[in-house]
Each structure stands twice: as C-alpha cells, then as structure tokens.
Amino acid sequence: MKRFFTISGVFMLLLVSQTTFAQEKRVMKSFTFKSDKSKKNSEDKTTIYEGNVMMKNDNISFENAEKVIYNAEYGTYTIYSPKNFKIIAAKSVHKTGKKEDSHVIIYNMREESVTF
C-alpha cells in the first residue's frame, strides 16, 4: 500500500510539473491587415506591402503607412511613415535615437517588441 501511494505521488508530481514548466504558446485573437499592393520574395523570405497599409492586432495598430516590409525569418515588420500608430501591449519598447530613422518603426511579433 505504501508503494502504491509513493508511485501515485510521483506520478502526480510529474503531471503537475509538466503543466507548470510547459512553454506558453501565444495565440493572436485578432489580426487585420490591408494594403494596396504586395510583393513576396521567396529568396530572402520577405513580403513588401505598399500603399495605404493598415494593420491591427492584439499588440499594435496603425493605418495609412507608406510601406511595410515583413521578414518571415525574424518575425519583424518594418513600418514606414504610419499614421495613428498605437501600442496596445508590448513586452519592450526601444528608441534608437537616430534622427534619420524617425519615420521607421520595427515591430517584432515573436518578441512582442517595438523599436522606434
């Protein structure tokens, strides 16, 4: 009987530790994206969206951007001259301080970070 409780206890600890240490998988609840033109480059795994680009998801939203370059390899969106850019939620926000890049915003979807 003692052995049964020991085995049951170890089994329960394994079950609890599995759910405790499992990696969190984030799922986007909503994602809206529109543009006038798009062009995909399979070699460097990028997609270029041009003309009135609009995006809204759980973390950021903007409208009427001139151009957005999505890099699928790194999960980044490079956003050029967006209007009404809003950060809804982000794990980190960085500012480069470079004056020439003042109209460029980089959003990393995997890290949930925004760089100005």
Side-chain angles (χ1 to χ4, degrees):
M1 189 68 156
K2 185 177 180 183
R3 186 174 179 169
F4 173 75
F5 284 119
T6 303
I7 292 173
S8 297
V10 170
F11 182 71
M12 289 302 292
L13 283 173
L14 287 173
L15 284 177
V16 170
S17 66
Q18 178 65 25
T19 57
T20 302
F21 295 112
Q23 289 184 345
E24 177 183 344
K25 188 171 185 178
R26 182 162 167 83
V27 177
M28 285 280 176
K29 294 177 186 170
S30 65
F31 188 87
T32 307
F33 198 93
K34 287 194 264 184
S35 70
D36 293 341
K37 296 189 305 184
S38 65
K39 179 180 165 185
K40 186 172 186 169
N41 187 338
S42 301
E43 290 177 13
D44 61 358
K45 297 179 183 174
T46 61
T47 305
I48 300 172
Y49 301 96
E50 292 181 304
N52 298 316
V53 184
M54 186 276 295
M55 180 175 154
K56 183 175 183 172
N57 67 21
D58 296 341
N59 297 328
I60 66 168
S61 71
F62 63 87
E63 54 191 35
N64 296 328
E66 292 175 6
K67 176 169 69 169
V68 173
I69 300 173
Y70 172 63
N71 187 323
E73 186 175 352
Y74 300 110
T76 59
Y77 290 88
T78 305
I79 307 159
Y80 295 89
S81 302
K83 306 284 189 277
N84 299 325
F85 184 83
K86 297 176 186 168
I87 299 173
I88 300 165
K91 288 185 178 176
S92 64
V93 178
H94 307 281
K95 185 169 182 178
T96 62
K98 295 179 183 177
K99 193 104 173 151
E100 61 272 3
D101 292 338
S102 63
H103 67 285
V104 178
I105 299 170
I106 300 171
Y107 169 63
N108 189 319
M109 188 169 62
R110 293 181 188 155
E111 297 176 3
E112 297 179 14
S113 66
V114 178
T115 304
F116 291 94

